[in-house]
Amino acid sequence: MPPAPDAMHAVVMPLFGESEADLGSYLLALQYSGLEVVLVDNDPCGVATPPGGLPCRRWIPNRNRGGIAGGLNRGVAAALELGAGWITLLDQDSRLDAEDLHRLREPWSASPSEALVVGPRIWDRERQELHGRGLGPSDAFERTRLLISSGTTFRAEDWPALGGFHEGLFIDFVDHAWCFRAQSQGFELLQHSEVRLEQRFGSPHPNRLCRWAGLQLYSPQRHYYAIRNLRWLILQKTVPLDLKLKECVKMLIKPWCWLLFEPKRLENLNQVLRGLIDTLPDPYR
């Protein structure tokens, strides 16, 4: 059953590096709407208190332990300690209207006994288009196989069954692994067609051809995790074969773009080679 109507709804947001200038005012808007904000400081150095007085109910120094997966896990644990009934995960560069964020609980009103994980539609800020295929206006709650972590919403009581994010993966494919594990545990993933989250994926690529192909510019370290974690992903029985093949085909092309059209070519080469040979993380437990 869904939590009581007045149950606490917590927003978990890991922070890493520079934040956008409007982050403080955005967090205030979330709080004014009745949401409780849990911030996880994922910078390697870390600070004891929120910089610039960022508004939040709880501040957690994590020092990037376990990467984005560890930041999300520590944030969810804090939200549970606060007594949250609902939890929504958000990236620091995502923007989701506070009223719309509350609407992500609506599928449980229609199906109160269902094991659900719900997310919004994703609007790519850089490309000015919907991320993934569009949804028709009649599909209020569309079934999907994959949600990005930002905007993902679930009942707090379901967290033990959902399980935490895989910290061995650190960053790339963390949401893929978690979503397919959730489905293997009997959860249905829904996308709310009337709720839109704006997201920035990486930085604009310096090469026009790469931009046309949909590539964003990421650090060499991210290229390492992309390759190593894809090797891990294709070994997981919970991940559908067609998605494994799709990601493998893309990975046959991406490294050449990284080596030919990006500024840190030698460092990219080193990270690509590391990603191909490094020991893989353990399977999900």
Side-chain angles (χ1 to χ4, degrees):
M1 295 296 290
D6 59 347
M8 180 193 301
H9 189 158
V11 174
V12 171
M13 181 182 290
L15 302 178
F16 183 90
E18 253 185 76
S19 299
E20 296 195 19
D22 70 335
L23 180 60
S25 60
Y26 177 62
L27 295 176
L28 276 176
L30 296 181
Q31 288 186 325
Y32 288 154
S33 76
L35 297 162
E36 298 291 350
V37 176
V38 175
L39 297 180
V40 182
D41 179 14
N42 239 13
D43 270 322
C45 295
V47 293
T49 58
L54 285 175
C56 63
R57 175 76 179 272
R58 184 73 64 86
W59 173 262
I60 305 167
N62 187 54
R63 298 180 183 273
N64 213 22
R65 180 164 50 102
I68 184 66
L72 291 171
N73 288 341
R74 246 65 78 201
V76 170
L80 295 175
E81 290 176 2
L82 290 173
W86 304 93
I87 297 174
T88 295
L89 313 175
L90 273 184
D91 288 352
Q92 69 190 67
D93 54 358
S94 297
R95 293 297 178 266
L96 174 59
D97 182 78
E99 183 178 342
D100 282 344
L101 197 153
H102 286 281
R103 294 194 63 193
L104 290 173
R105 303 196 302 258
E106 290 178 352
W108 282 275
S109 299
S111 305
S113 62
E114 294 293 323
L116 302 175
V117 179
V118 180
R121 288 193 299 174
I122 307 300
W123 179 260
D124 189 327
R125 285 185 181 181
E126 293 297 333
R127 304 187 73 181
Q128 289 295 295
E129 63 184 24
L130 284 172
H131 186 71
R133 65 187 184 89
L135 303 176
S138 62
D139 300 317
F141 311 129
E142 175 95 348
R143 291 183 181 180
T144 184
R145 298 189 304 177
L146 184 63
L147 297 167
I148 70 168
S149 57
S150 191
T152 290
T153 299
F154 50 87
R155 297 178 297 196
E157 66 188 55
D158 288 331
W159 181 245
L162 287 165
F165 292 88
H166 194 319
E167 298 188 25
L169 296 178
F170 205 79
I171 185 164
D172 284 271
F173 293 114
V174 163
D175 42 13
H176 287 65
W178 189 81
C179 284
F180 288 115
R181 183 176 185 272
Q183 289 166 88
S184 74
Q185 300 298 313
F187 285 84
E188 184 176 30
L189 273 57
L190 298 179
Q191 195 173 30
H192 198 313
S193 67
E194 298 175 0
V195 175
R196 190 177 82 169
L197 175 145
E198 295 188 3
Q199 175 76 17
R200 178 172 285 114
F201 297 92
S203 302
H205 203 282
N207 181 268
R208 182 181 300 176
L209 177 63
C210 292
R211 290 198 301 273
W212 176 83
L215 269 67
Q216 303 289 338
L217 183 65
Y218 290 101
S219 68
Q221 186 181 36
R222 286 291 302 273
H223 299 336
Y224 160 76
Y225 284 115
I227 292 177
R228 189 204 64 167
N229 291 357
L230 178 57
R231 291 171 50 218
W232 179 91
L233 196 76
I234 61 178
L235 298 176
Q236 308 310 306
K237 295 179 180 179
T238 57
V239 180
L241 177 61
D242 66 300
L243 185 133
K244 294 178 183 179
L245 292 174
K246 173 186 173 184
E247 294 297 334
C248 285
V249 168
K250 290 195 293 185
M251 198 57 74
L252 290 174
I253 300 170
K254 285 181 177 181
W256 295 106
C257 295
W258 303 337
L259 297 175
L260 294 174
F261 303 122
E262 294 190 359
K264 300 179 180 179
R265 296 179 184 178
L266 182 58
E267 191 174 350
N268 283 342
L269 176 60
N270 290 333
Q271 295 297 339
V272 166
L273 294 176
R274 279 189 61 215
L276 289 171
I277 63 176
D278 265 10
T279 303
L280 297 179
D282 292 333
Y284 251 132
R285 299 187 186 279

